[in-house]
Amino acid sequence: SLFADHSVPGATAGAFAADGQLLVGTGDGAVHRFDAEGNALGSAQVPGPVADIAWNGGGFFLFANDG
């Protein structure tokens, strides 16, 4: 799978940035950020499951959830 190298249980959405960073959203509302080498850069919690996630052209990320 796309996220095989990143251990994120419950992953429901993911998106790569132009610089190789990866965002992964989960069914419990967590959003995890990884650098291009797969190192965790941080995470955040949002209300409800993450249904979709994307980067915009400016390098910011957006997500859609059910909360």
Side-chain angles (χ1 to χ4, degrees):
S1 88
L2 183 64
F3 314 114
D5 294 335
H6 300 82
S7 179
V8 181
T12 56
F16 283 98
D19 66 0
Q21 290 188 56
L22 171 65
L23 292 172
V24 180
T26 68
D28 65 358
V31 177
H32 302 279
R33 187 173 182 174
F34 298 91
D35 67 15
E37 288 78 39
N39 301 305
L41 296 176
S43 62
Q45 191 69 36
V46 298
V50 178
D52 199 7
I53 199 162
W55 293 90
N56 73 10
F60 297 97
F61 63 89
L62 313 164
F63 64 89
N65 68 358
D66 295 331

